[in-house]
Amino acid sequence: MSDALDATPYDALLLLSFGGPEGPDDVVPFLENVTRGRGIPKERLKEVGQHYFLFGGVSPINDQNRALLDALRKDFADHGLDLPIHWGNRNWAPYLTDTLREMVAAGHRRILVLATSAYASYSGCRQYRENLADSLAELEAEGLELPKIDKLRHYFNHEGFVEPMIEGVLQSLADLPEDVRDGAHLAFSTHSIPTASADTSGPVEDHGEGGAYVEQHLEVAQLIADAVRERTGVDHPWQLVYQSRSGAPHIPWLEPDICDHLEERHAAGAPAVVIAPIGFVSDHMEVLYDLDTEAKAKAEELGLPMRRSATVGADPRFAAAIRDLVLERASVERGEEVTPCALGALGASHNVCPVGCCPARAPRPAAAGVDSPYV
């Protein structure tokens, strides 16, 4: 890809993220956006918002997206890739529809989307595609000329996403006391989702127990564990664990929960644990509260030495990976032969989501897929 810094036919990149409150007065309105249509009382939202109030009502995700934007713009400029980058959120300002409206006004007609979720799932992929379709419907109702929108493939196994996490685990291991370091257990953590959603994640052929969501996380965990063994000579035991469950108690969600896992590891005699939040692009609220607050408190209660490794965030290697993915997709759209970067056994994900991929409980239009109403 080094000889083809040409994003044609694309004329802009859109960073699409979840969004988060930036002050105490934003918390409940933000949670109302997140839970719209579920009939959750405002008093319950105030209870849920306590996680945000512990941090001054500010989610770190917006500042982290600003840092990623800066890293992407620097990388593109340093490598001669002339592609404007915009930012829109699902649940807070800058809102996706407003950003798309501004992009259309600026003349952008072929937009490539980078979602801040590396894995296949309804909430991590199709829901973003539904948001894009909703925004396009609004612009269509306003009489605006609609852009053609494509979405970058899942990047969970791209070297530029995996390598910073390997380095983070190595640094966390090195930070443990020497007498417990070699015996440390690795807990690879990601967001728990309903098992029914996990089972239908990814293309139809990947559906089954855990679906593509679990399979992709296991692949990344194995890649990191193997790299740690190769670089340290120590084969650390590891497990994929889950956090941030938010559903009704009677609905099955992916387990084990990270705090339950810490108790189990302690009871089994593990001398230390490194938690690696591989399911998260950056240190947003779920990482700060569920890991740096709750899991840390549980480890301290147990007397279990614990370190939490860094997420990828705005690492220059991740920015370079996004540049690579942009050029890869542009080449595909131009009909050129491409060898995609993908570590491990699963290979590169699909460029266009097929019919039946990560289905919603109630069918809704979704952009950037085979079944998109906007082509």
Side-chain angles (χ1 to χ4, degrees):
M1 308 299 295
S2 60
D3 61 344
L5 295 188
D6 177 11
T8 307
Y10 298 107
D11 55 30
L13 177 68
L14 169 61
L15 175 65
L16 177 55
S17 193
F18 193 81
E22 300 202 75
D25 293 341
D26 296 343
V27 173
V28 171
F30 163 74
L31 292 174
E32 287 174 334
N33 288 342
V34 173
T35 61
R36 182 162 285 115
R38 302 182 200 173
I40 299 177
K42 182 171 286 190
E43 290 307 309
R44 174 58 182 153
L45 295 180
K46 289 180 180 177
E47 294 176 20
V48 174
Q50 290 306 312
H51 294 182
Y52 291 95
F53 292 129
L54 286 174
F55 297 90
V58 178
S59 168
I61 192 170
N62 282 345
D63 277 346
Q64 289 161 2
N65 281 325
R66 292 182 184 104
L68 179 56
L69 282 169
D70 289 343
L72 290 170
R73 286 167 177 155
K74 182 180 187 305
D75 180 272
F76 285 17
D78 288 349
H79 292 85
L81 178 57
D82 184 15
L83 190 70
I85 308 173
H86 299 257
W87 169 36
N89 288 325
R90 174 190 293 175
N91 297 301
W92 202 248
Y95 288 103
L96 171 59
T97 302
D98 295 336
T99 298
L100 280 178
R101 187 183 294 111
E102 293 168 1
M103 295 177 76
V104 169
H108 297 307
R109 296 296 179 266
R110 288 296 304 270
I111 298 172
L112 195 52
V113 174
L114 163 64
T116 54
S117 175
Y119 303 85
S121 70
Y122 170 73
S123 58
C125 184
R126 186 175 179 91
Q127 192 170 11
Y128 281 112
R129 294 174 49 225
E130 290 175 352
N131 299 146
L132 286 164
D134 291 343
S135 293
L136 289 171
E138 286 192 48
L139 300 187
E140 186 175 40
E142 295 170 11
L144 298 177
E145 182 179 352
L146 298 186
K148 184 179 187 310
I149 292 180
D150 293 322
K151 179 179 173 292
L152 286 174
R153 65 176 173 88
H154 301 300
Y155 45 84
F156 65 94
N157 56 358
H158 194 289
E159 182 178 10
F161 184 67
V162 176
E163 184 60 36
M165 293 190 290
I166 294 171
E167 185 176 284
V169 171
L170 290 170
Q171 290 176 348
S172 291
L173 285 168
D175 191 49
L176 283 169
E178 189 173 356
D179 61 333
V180 299
R181 185 179 304 148
D182 286 354
H185 181 94
L186 307 181
F188 296 105
S189 186
T190 189
H191 207 301
S192 184
I193 61 175
T195 57
S197 179
D199 293 347
T200 56
S201 58
V204 172
E205 61 267 23
D206 291 338
H207 292 180
E209 186 175 357
Y213 185 75
V214 172
E215 182 181 45
Q216 290 171 0
H217 280 88
L218 287 172
E219 177 87 331
V220 172
Q222 187 69 65
L223 286 167
I224 297 172
D226 287 349
V228 169
R229 183 186 66 251
E230 291 165 4
R231 299 181 197 186
T232 65
V234 179
D235 191 7
H236 292 271
W238 63 268
Q239 186 169 341
L240 180 63
V241 301
Y242 302 92
Q243 61 177 88
S244 312
R245 176 187 171 131
S246 59
H250 68 281
I251 298 175
W253 282 51
L254 293 173
E255 296 178 337
D257 173 78
I258 178 59
C259 288
D260 293 340
H261 179 68
L262 291 176
E263 290 186 339
E264 188 273 332
R265 286 293 84 207
H266 178 256
V273 172
V274 168
I275 302 175
I278 63 172
F280 303 89
V281 172
S282 60
D283 288 6
H284 50 72
M285 186 56 68
E286 282 89 347
V287 175
L288 291 186
Y289 184 79
D290 296 318
L291 297 184
D292 293 353
T293 304
E294 283 196 329
K296 180 181 178 182
K298 174 59 68 175
E300 289 174 349
E301 172 192 322
L302 296 169
L304 180 65
M306 185 271 281
R307 298 292 185 272
R308 195 270 289 177
S309 67
T311 52
V312 173
D315 190 288
R317 289 165 292 188
F318 182 46
I322 300 308
R323 168 171 42 88
D324 180 65
L325 290 168
V326 167
L327 296 173
E328 173 195 304
R329 183 59 185 277
S331 294
V332 169
E333 291 299 305
R334 295 195 300 264
E336 299 168 5
E337 188 173 342
V338 175
T339 302
C341 176
L343 303 178
L346 294 181
S349 294
H350 49 265
N351 278 317
V352 181
C353 292
V355 175
C357 191
C358 303
R361 284 175 293 179
R364 291 182 53 203
V370 171
D371 55 353
S372 172
Y374 301 101
V375 294

